């Protein structure tokens, strides 16, 4: 691999011999298996995500931000479950082993891992088309995991942070729209360096009735909650459209859209854009104060955008309650349309 062997690659960029083992990791990188010491009385939460060049990111993506995103999308899954990160494995296929790529990639990866106390404990490397697969492990007390199946009739529907900016950046980078440089830079940061809402997920344990992370689009991921809970929902488009941050950034106030971004496109990005890695969750109206307390404690904005109901599916209505026409397709990993 361009003069750098597999084991030298691992030792140089992914083994950290001078670092003390993280709590709960009895043996990390360097053996046939890692050894973990579970916290007594806790359950494991485990999730895997794969990022493929040309499908999930551009081939010339900055390696430092790619290292961040590769782990962030997995930590987002733990956040949606209300689990605390503990450890992860990394399987990495590379067309060649170049120090100028591996060094910043590992730095971006470990910066986020260290911020969440999540240790790299093993994995695999091989030659091949660029492909990054991470499996992350976390802990959650029995009975406290946030599941997709727990929503109840009449629950409020919330989302964290902002939505749609990542999809807007992707539209621009694919040449479908044009954005001013400052607006693109802000939107692109959301695409390439998402913030996993781990602290919010932990704060929502015992408060939220169900949760999912918004990876493939708000309507699609909320749809998973509703399908598993046997419910439907109505969302307020007038509230949802204000969640796209770059529009407020361009004009100094929310809801007044720059002429370069039609409201229909902004709503499409918010409802179905994907790559946001925010949390969509439900909670009983009686828990509204507790939801706001969780948001404050975690330093994360949350917005109520709708309510669950008996009729299956998701209806999007305007401020007068009139259902909007049209449909919004969320991301499909086997669809033929191009992506990052």
């Amino acid at each position: 691999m361009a003069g750098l062997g597999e084991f030298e690659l691992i030792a140089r960029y992914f083994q950290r011999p001078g670092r003390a083992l993280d709590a709960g990791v009895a043996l990390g990188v360097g053996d046939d298996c890692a050894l973990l010491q579970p916290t007594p009385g806790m359950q494991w939460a485990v999730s895997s995500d794969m990022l493929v060049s040309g499908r999930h990111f551009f081939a010339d993506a900055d390696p430092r931000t790619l290292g961040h995103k590769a782990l962030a999308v997995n930590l987002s899954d733990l956040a949606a479950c209300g689990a605390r990160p503990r450890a992860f494995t990394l399987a990495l296929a590379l067309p060649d082993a170049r120090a100028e790529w591996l060094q910043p990639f590992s730095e971006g990866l470990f910066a986020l891992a260290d911020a969440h106390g999540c240790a790299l404990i093993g994995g695999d490397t091989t030659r091949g088309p660029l492909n990054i697969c991470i499996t992350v492990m976390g802990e959650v007390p029995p009975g406290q995991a946030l599941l997709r199946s727990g929503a109840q009739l009449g629950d409020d529907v919330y989302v964290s942070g902002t939505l749609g900016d990542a999809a807007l950046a992707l539209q621009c980078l694919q040449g479908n729209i044009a954005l001013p440089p400052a607006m693109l830079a802000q939107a692109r940061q959301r695409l390439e360096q998402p913030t996993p809402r781990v602290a919010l997920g932990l704060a929502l344990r015992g408060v939220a009735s169900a949760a999912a992370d918004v990876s493939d689009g708000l309507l699609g991921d909320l749809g998973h909650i509703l399908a598993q809970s046997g419910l439907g929902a109505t969302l307020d488009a007038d509230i949802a459209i204000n969640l796209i941050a770059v529009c407020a950034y361009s004009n100094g106030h929310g809801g007044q859209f720059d002429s370069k971004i039609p409201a229909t496109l902004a709503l499409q990005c918010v409802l179905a854009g994907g790559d946001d890695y925010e949390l969509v969750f439900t909670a009983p109206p009686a828990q509204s104060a507790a939801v706001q307390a969780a948001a404050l404690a975690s330093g994360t904005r949350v917005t109520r955008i709708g309510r669950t109901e008996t009729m299956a599916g998701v209806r999007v209505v305007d401020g007068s309650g009139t259902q909007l026409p049209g449909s919004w397709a969320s991301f499909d990993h086997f669809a033929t349309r191009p992506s990052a």
Side-chain angles (χ1 to χ4, degrees):
M1 299 178 72
L4 191 63
E6 177 183 5
F7 299 109
E8 184 183 358
L9 181 159
I10 294 170
R12 183 178 298 184
Y13 298 108
F14 300 110
Q15 206 164 3
R16 307 167 88 186
R19 178 184 173 88
L21 288 175
D22 294 73
V25 180
L27 180 67
V29 176
D31 222 295
D32 289 307
C33 291
L35 299 177
L36 302 181
Q37 182 60 53
T39 302
M42 301 289 273
Q43 291 181 329
W44 285 113
V46 181
S47 180
S48 292
D49 268 296
M50 183 184 302
L51 299 184
V52 179
S53 178
R55 188 58 178 163
H56 300 99
F57 59 90
F58 293 107
D60 62 351
D62 176 75
R64 188 181 305 274
T65 60
L66 187 56
H68 171 102
K69 184 170 184 175
L71 182 58
V73 303
N74 286 269
L75 293 179
S76 182
D77 286 330
L78 291 186
C81 191
R84 187 178 301 280
R86 289 291 301 275
F88 70 101
T89 62
L90 169 67
L92 184 62
L94 295 166
D96 51 59
R98 295 179 293 110
E100 61 269 26
W101 190 93
L102 284 160
Q103 185 66 41
F105 174 82
S106 63
E107 289 172 354
L109 180 79
F110 283 126
L112 186 61
D114 292 346
H116 289 279
C118 194
L120 176 63
I121 58 170
D124 193 24
T125 58
T126 189
R127 181 190 291 275
L130 184 55
N131 188 327
I132 307 160
C133 184
I134 286 179
T135 296
V136 70
M137 289 147 274
E139 288 185 336
V140 63
Q144 293 190 32
L146 303 177
L147 306 178
R148 295 177 176 180
S149 58
Q152 301 295 314
L153 180 62
D155 278 356
D156 291 321
V157 179
Y158 295 88
V159 292
S160 67
T162 60
L163 302 176
D165 301 87
L168 195 67
L170 182 58
Q171 287 286 327
C172 183
L173 294 171
Q174 290 178 328
N176 299 324
I177 61 170
L179 295 176
M183 185 183 293
L184 174 59
Q186 187 197 21
R188 187 168 186 169
Q189 183 174 16
R190 293 281 292 145
L191 173 67
E192 297 178 342
Q193 291 185 281
T195 301
R197 301 301 186 182
V198 174
L200 178 62
L202 294 174
L204 287 174
R205 292 196 308 217
V207 175
S209 54
D213 82 322
V214 184
S215 54
D216 297 330
L218 172 62
L219 293 186
D221 291 310
L222 173 59
H224 297 318
I225 291 176
L226 299 175
Q228 294 199 28
S229 299
L231 295 168
T234 294
L235 303 186
D236 188 329
D238 289 357
I239 297 175
I241 200 169
N242 286 309
L243 294 174
I244 187 163
V246 293
C247 294
Y249 171 81
S250 67
N251 288 312
H253 49 90
Q256 303 297 318
F257 296 99
D258 190 283
S259 60
K260 300 178 181 65
I261 307 174
T264 52
L265 174 59
L267 191 59
Q268 167 69 28
C269 290
V270 168
L271 295 178
D275 262 326
D276 296 300
Y277 298 100
E278 296 290 350
L279 299 185
V280 55
F281 61 95
T282 59
Q287 291 280 38
S288 60
V291 169
Q292 295 304 320
L296 183 63
S298 63
T300 309
R301 165 186 171 182
V302 300
T303 304
R304 180 191 175 278
I305 59 170
R307 180 165 291 186
T308 63
E309 55 192 28
T310 54
M311 187 184 300
V314 183
R315 282 151 295 286
V316 181
V317 302
D318 62 19
S320 67
T322 302
Q323 185 169 345
L324 299 185
S327 60
W328 294 270
S330 293
F331 181 72
D332 181 347
H333 291 272
F334 287 92
T336 56
R337 64 183 177 88
S339 71

